[in-house]
Amino acid sequence: MKYKKLAEVYEDLTSTTKRLEKTDILSKFLKKVPKKDEDVMYLLLGSVFPEYSEKRIGISNRLAIQAMSKATGLQKKEVVKLWKKIGDLGKVAEELAKNKKQSTLSSGKKLTTQKVIENVKKLPEIEGKGSVSRKISLITELLTNAEPIEAKYIIRTLIGDLRIGVGESTIRDAMADAFFKNKKEVAKKIQRALDRTNDIGLVFQMAKKGKVKDLEAVGIEVGKPLKVMLAQKADSIKQGFEKVGKPCAIEYKYDGFRMLIHKKGKKLTLFTRRLENVTKQFPEVVDYIDKYVKGKEFILDSEAVGWDRQTKQYKPFQKISQRIRRKYDIEKLQKKLPVEINVFDILYYNGKSQIDEPYKKRTKLLRKIIKKHPYKIIPSKKIVTDNGKKAKKFFKKALKDNQEGIMMKNLNAKYQPGKRVGHMLKIKPEERDLDLVITGAEYGTGKRSGWMSSFVLSCKGKKKGEFLEIGKVGTGIKEKKAGKSGGISFGELTEKLQPYVIEEKGKKVKIKPKVVVSVTYQEIQHSPNYNSGWALRFPRFTAIRPDKPVKEIANLKEIEKDFKDQKRNWRYG
Ligand code: AMP
């Protein structure tokens, strides 16, 4: 189909923020999309690949600018200048295409969605020598044939920032509306099929046929990643019991990363929570599964946790995170940063889906098939209790073992892929706060263009007048003027900081340490990313502190002390 039709729909979708209106626009559009053009669904979600695919388009702003410069004959720095002014690379592409139209004649070829998909799909495949210029030619080919509105969305798709305010759930509702009568009921079935296949194109084809039965028949498939079940939050153990019922299972909330383990005959595949295939990166896990888990075919849900060979202590996630992306020296890294697999669920076993079985049955099964090998693979640590004291003791034990907290789970609940459920709750220690000073910022894009949108936080160093970076904060700040409700908006904070800007580089600025802010955070961690050597985990802006002089902000010593204290002082509720 013509790409312009899709671009016009994108444009219509940005013209409203109301979800029902968006659903309506999409529903009308979906009726017109032919069944064979299922990949238009991926484009609607800002990609050209189904979600289960590990491929990402991954074009940087820099590369997009290079391609725009080549397509228009304009110098790169001119494009950057425009970008700074407009704040949205998509809009820059649109402007440039408008001007190009006046000066040169485009080839007159009309872009189709197939052509866009074809070129964009090739991008992640290109590697090695000359890859940059080959990528640029593929993009330029699209841009030179694009009308302004098309250029805008091509660039936005490439840089992964479509900004039409449409997610999977809106498309799901639009499909139900377009192809079925009983919309509400069918929307649930469509969602179920999406959670199991992670392929919105495939589900679109099924929905377009209008047969509810096809949607119902979608099962889970070993080897194909499916979305994990997510937990809601509880503030205390008491609240946890109220929500999941007594007795319940309490497990360690491990500080690692989610790993789904699929085994089909000899073939083993490991996926992350984001559905990335990480099998190559974790050869030892493949080996543990082969040796210590019984069964021909299964899907296990687990958390991979790093540990220290010398001390045998567990390590925080960020210490092993590099293993996920590492493509070379895998063996070396595996020796340096070993992981232990903590299995907490089983979704499929020897020809039978387990997701509709109750939790207690599933976990019993996984305990039966796993041969426990600490520091290699174990069923997750758990107790079943209705006793608050025992639960608190277990929470403390989890923290002492360097884990994040606990999970409380209803004993009879099903496994619901892709859902954030109220029958599995996470409890972490309370947040803490610090006063820090802003020493840098980065200008935002889109809605936030013209405003600083991410702020560098610093504490005092050991030397006089020294400030050391400890993190970046972008949450807790409002989009619009805060007014009586309190807080501060990006616009207001930008105005406050602008007089203190001392250096500008692209979108980044350095700022004199003048504006003191309070932030909450969950944890302090060692970090090579900031010159203080520390990083705040989940920092959140809470207030501007005009009442606090810069000399009273936190210093490095206090940060170090906070780090040491944090596990000791956590409250358990
Ligand atoms: P959060 O990332 O804070 O939303 O917490 C949910 C994550 O905790 C899950 O996605 C898992 O990766 C992780 N997790 C750690 N231990 C467990 C456990 N015992 N059961 C379920 N999830 C766990």
Side-chain angles (χ1 to χ4, degrees):
M1 82 186 271
K2 297 263 178 316
Y3 187 69
K4 185 151 179 214
K5 268 197 191 158
L6 177 65
E8 283 164 355
V9 170
Y10 285 146
E11 200 73 358
D12 283 351
L13 289 165
T14 44
S15 70
T16 172
T17 52
K18 294 204 179 88
R19 177 144 176 193
L20 278 180
E21 286 177 20
K22 284 187 195 279
T23 311
D24 202 40
I25 295 168
L26 274 171
S27 164
K28 287 191 184 115
F29 175 64
L30 292 184
K31 283 185 191 156
K32 286 186 237 150
V33 180
K35 206 165 105 214
K36 65 168 184 26
D37 278 341
E38 85 277 4
D39 26 20
V40 169
M41 298 308 117
Y42 312 137
L43 286 173
L44 278 173
L45 285 176
S47 181
V48 290
F49 304 109
E51 205 182 346
Y52 73 78
S53 152
E54 299 132 46
K55 291 186 189 140
R56 302 279 177 266
I57 302 172
I59 293 297
S60 64
N61 288 347
R62 231 179 78 201
L63 201 79
I65 289 169
Q66 274 175 278
M68 283 153 77
S69 144
K70 192 170 167 215
T72 55
L74 216 65
Q75 282 201 341
K76 263 189 290 184
K77 61 175 190 232
E78 295 295 320
V79 182
V80 172
K81 211 165 137 195
L82 255 177
W83 179 33
K84 266 183 128 178
K85 196 172 134 209
I86 303 178
D88 169 355
L89 265 189
K91 281 199 180 139
V92 173
E94 187 178 23
E95 283 308 309
L96 294 177
K98 276 185 198 158
N99 295 341
K100 172 196 78 178
K101 251 195 142 179
Q102 286 154 11
S103 57
T104 54
L105 277 174
S106 74
S107 66
K109 262 197 257 165
K110 291 257 184 283
L111 272 182
T112 60
T113 52
Q114 287 89 336
K115 178 68 192 165
V116 173
I117 290 169
E118 184 191 314
N119 278 27
V120 178
K121 264 190 176 167
K122 283 183 192 154
L123 294 168
E125 310 282 337
I126 301 175
E127 277 174 7
K129 222 175 145 202
S131 63
V132 170
S133 69
R134 275 187 288 153
K135 283 185 186 184
I136 290 177
S137 342
L138 283 169
I139 304 172
T140 315
E141 189 193 358
L142 297 178
L143 289 179
T144 46
N145 288 312
E147 293 195 26
I149 179 180
E150 294 177 318
K152 171 155 115 189
Y153 288 104
I154 288 169
I155 289 296
R156 283 188 178 178
T157 303
L158 289 170
I159 61 172
D161 190 15
L162 198 53
R163 292 196 216 164
I164 54 167
V166 165
E168 191 183 84
S169 57
T170 320
I171 303 182
R172 170 201 69 200
D173 291 352
M175 280 188 203
D177 186 67
F179 310 125
F180 298 91
K181 284 200 186 85
N182 190 358
K183 289 179 227 168
K184 267 207 175 137
E185 270 311 296
V186 177
K188 280 189 205 151
K189 296 196 169 143
I190 296 177
Q191 185 63 52
R192 191 180 161 276
L194 285 170
D195 292 336
R196 281 158 179 71
T197 59
N198 289 300
D199 189 341
I200 199 161
L202 184 73
V203 174
F204 164 75
Q205 289 183 318
M206 287 178 192
K208 186 117 192 162
K209 278 199 233 156
K211 287 191 191 148
V212 178
K213 274 208 173 127
D214 287 1
L215 294 168
E216 284 171 343
V218 175
I220 58 175
E221 218 180 287
V222 187
K224 203 167 170 186
L226 80 165
K227 273 187 223 156
V228 298
M229 180 164 80
L230 297 165
Q232 288 179 16
K233 216 168 102 185
D235 297 328
S236 64
I237 287 171
K238 193 166 159 263
Q239 194 193 46
F241 275 128
E242 278 161 22
K243 286 198 174 160
V244 300
K246 276 184 183 178
C248 71
I250 305 184
E251 296 177 2
Y252 271 23
K253 182 180 190 314
Y254 292 98
D255 188 9
F257 66 93
R258 195 95 176 233
M259 189 182 268
L260 270 104
I261 301 162
H262 290 239
K263 175 172 169 167
K264 194 173 189 172
K266 287 223 150 50
K267 193 167 186 272
L268 247 148
T269 327
L270 311 174
F271 295 107
T272 66
R273 164 177 173 169
R274 294 183 53 206
L275 317 179
E276 290 160 311
N277 184 337
V278 289
T279 319
K280 283 207 184 88
Q281 288 91 310
F282 294 91
E284 83 270 39
V285 177
V286 173
D287 187 45
Y288 302 158
I289 304 294
D290 268 345
K291 282 194 182 132
Y292 309 129
V293 188
K294 261 201 298 201
K296 284 200 186 85
E297 249 187 319
F298 50 76
I299 305 176
L300 303 177
D301 196 352
S302 75
E303 188 90 350
V305 185
W307 55 277
D308 189 304
R309 277 196 198 279
Q310 257 130 39
T311 64
K312 294 266 171 140
Q313 294 258 340
Y314 291 103
K315 289 181 176 180
F317 164 69
Q318 90 276 9
K319 287 261 155 111
I320 55 151
S321 62
Q322 49 178 304
R323 284 208 59 184
I324 301 175
R325 301 247 133 58
R326 184 63 80 92
K327 298 266 151 60
Y328 54 94
D329 281 350
I330 304 252
E331 296 234 325
K332 237 177 162 177
L333 203 64
Q334 173 195 328
K335 289 214 174 88
K336 204 171 123 208
L337 304 173
V339 294
E340 174 186 78
I341 303 301
N342 294 270
V343 183
F344 52 76
D345 223 321
I346 180 160
L347 319 186
Y348 192 94
Y349 193 67
N350 287 357
K352 194 168 172 288
S353 164
Q354 300 292 323
I355 58 178
D356 292 327
E357 300 291 342
Y359 165 89
K360 56 185 176 202
K361 209 169 156 201
R362 298 196 308 272
T363 45
K364 200 169 157 197
L365 171 62
L366 77 83
R367 279 170 162 73
K368 217 167 85 186
I369 62 168
I370 295 172
K371 211 165 154 205
K372 210 165 151 180
H373 273 266
Y375 298 103
K376 290 183 176 169
I377 182 166
I378 53 167
S380 68
K381 295 211 170 99
K382 100 169 177 179
I383 55 169
V384 174
T385 186
D386 58 0
N387 180 310
K389 272 198 189 137
K390 282 194 182 144
K392 271 181 206 173
K393 208 170 140 201
F394 192 70
F395 192 174
K396 282 191 189 177
K397 199 166 147 245
L399 298 178
K400 225 176 122 213
D401 254 351
N402 285 341
Q403 304 307 333
E404 276 192 314
I406 50 171
M407 308 289 289
M408 295 178 81
K409 301 184 178 180
N410 178 306
L411 294 172
N412 295 308
K414 292 180 184 177
Y415 190 100
Q416 292 170 279
K419 291 239 160 57
R420 194 171 283 285
V421 296
H423 56 71
M424 169 165 101
L425 302 172
K426 53 187 177 191
I427 307 188
K428 296 191 224 179
E430 276 185 17
E431 287 184 336
R432 306 145 64 78
D433 56 33
L434 274 178
D435 293 326
L436 298 163
V437 70
I438 295 178
T439 53
E442 188 165 347
Y443 273 91
T445 52
K447 276 204 293 209
R448 296 186 188 159
S449 67
W451 297 341
M452 298 175 189
S453 68
S454 160
F455 304 88
V456 180
L457 301 166
S458 291
C459 64
K460 281 194 297 184
K462 288 191 174 149
K463 288 184 226 142
K464 206 171 171 241
E466 182 188 40
F467 291 93
L468 298 172
E469 294 176 357
I470 186 170
K472 277 188 199 143
V473 68
T475 45
I477 303 158
K478 312 225 150 108
E479 296 293 335
K480 291 193 188 133
K481 261 200 176 150
K484 274 195 196 134
S485 63
I488 197 163
S489 67
F490 286 105
E492 289 164 319
L493 193 50
T494 304
E495 267 173 36
K496 225 176 231 341
L497 292 167
Q498 255 157 355
Y500 307 121
V501 170
I502 38 184
E503 197 184 304
E504 267 190 72
K505 223 182 214 166
K507 291 187 155 268
K508 290 192 178 154
V509 291
K510 276 194 183 159
I511 296 172
K512 254 195 212 166
K514 290 282 184 197
V515 176
V516 176
V517 295
S518 291
V519 292
T520 58
Y521 62 95
Q522 212 150 56
E523 205 183 336
I524 294 174
Q525 298 173 325
H526 285 288
S527 166
N529 300 332
Y530 299 107
N531 58 2
S532 64
W534 300 101
L536 299 181
R537 198 161 183 211
F538 305 127
R540 183 180 183 82
F541 175 91
T542 53
I544 284 270
R545 299 301 302 260
D547 55 319
K548 279 228 162 179
V550 176
K551 64 176 196 299
E552 282 178 26
I553 65 165
N555 62 35
L556 203 56
K557 264 198 184 147
E558 287 166 64
I559 305 283
E560 284 164 4
K561 185 168 177 307
D562 267 17
F563 173 76
K564 281 192 194 132
D565 286 351
Q566 64 191 5
K567 298 222 156 118
R568 242 178 279 151
N569 290 345
W570 274 339
R571 276 179 269 157
Y572 310 103

